[in-house]
Amino acid sequence: DVKVTQSSRYLVKRTGEKVFLECVQDMDHENMFWYRQDPGLGLRLIYFSYDVKMKEKGDIPEGYSVSREKKERFSLILESASTNQTSMYLCASSLTGEVYEQYFGPGTRLTVT
Amino acid sequence: AQSVTQLGSHVSVSEGALVLLRCNYSSSVPPYLFWYVQYPNQGLQLLLKYTSAATLVKGINGFEAEFKKSETSFHLTKPSAHMSDAAEYFCAVSDTGNNRLAFGKGNQVVVIP
């Protein structure tokens, strides 16, 4: 079974803090994704990566950055957390090709106070 | 870019009744389509996917979906709802050429005893 793990299930941070969310997958997938999920808005893509050190902006990249130094690990960074970044963050991975589904981690519920 | 429409953010269904969740897509090429389920405080889990092998696709937990090209639809059904089906359901379509998925806004299903 593919397993995607996220470093924290729940996280509380203060405004202005630098926040790191970590995601690890164990199936050698080329592609990794970061989404945020908000009520009524569904899933919105923040960034994705199709290879080590490669990244592309998604639909809402402002205020976020990412890092992929190893194939299995994809990090989401909030340089200076703000209250409007309070959300559920979901990581996913997939093989390359449109036929392949994405596998999701359990999510990190981040609260910025 | 491909897109998905799911109408009705909240769907109530009586236990034992038919579950029907509608999904319409727009795609300039033959699509690959997916239904995911999200239980409370968890990540998304694949229910089923359409990859052009058969128009009626069977998934996990008794769900199935039918691809209808003429209607650009991929509606999800289950003949008899269980309490355990209470969850949020997302339809998604592969975006051409970039390994992304375009998600609908989701349907929150409530099962009434």
Side-chain angles (χ1 to χ4, degrees), chain B residues 28-48:
Chain B
S28 57
V29 297
Y32 296 107
L33 293 155
F34 306 83
W35 274 100
Y36 283 87
V37 61
Q38 184 181 33
Y39 298 104
N41 296 314
Q42 294 187 26
L44 276 69
Q45 176 184 355
L46 184 70
L47 269 179
L48 49 82

Side-chain angles (χ1 to χ4, degrees), chain A residues 17-21 36 46-47 57 59-66 76-82 84-85 89 110 112:
Chain A
E17 278 193 83
K18 191 168 186 176
V19 181
F20 292 87
L21 303 182
R36 66 175 282 176
I46 304 171
Y47 268 98
K57 293 180 180 179
D59 301 317
I60 52 164
E62 296 79 17
Y64 303 94
S65 62
V66 290
L76 180 69
I77 303 153
L78 287 65
E79 295 287 345
S80 177
S82 64
N84 63 12
Q85 293 178 310
Y89 289 87
L110 172 67
V112 183

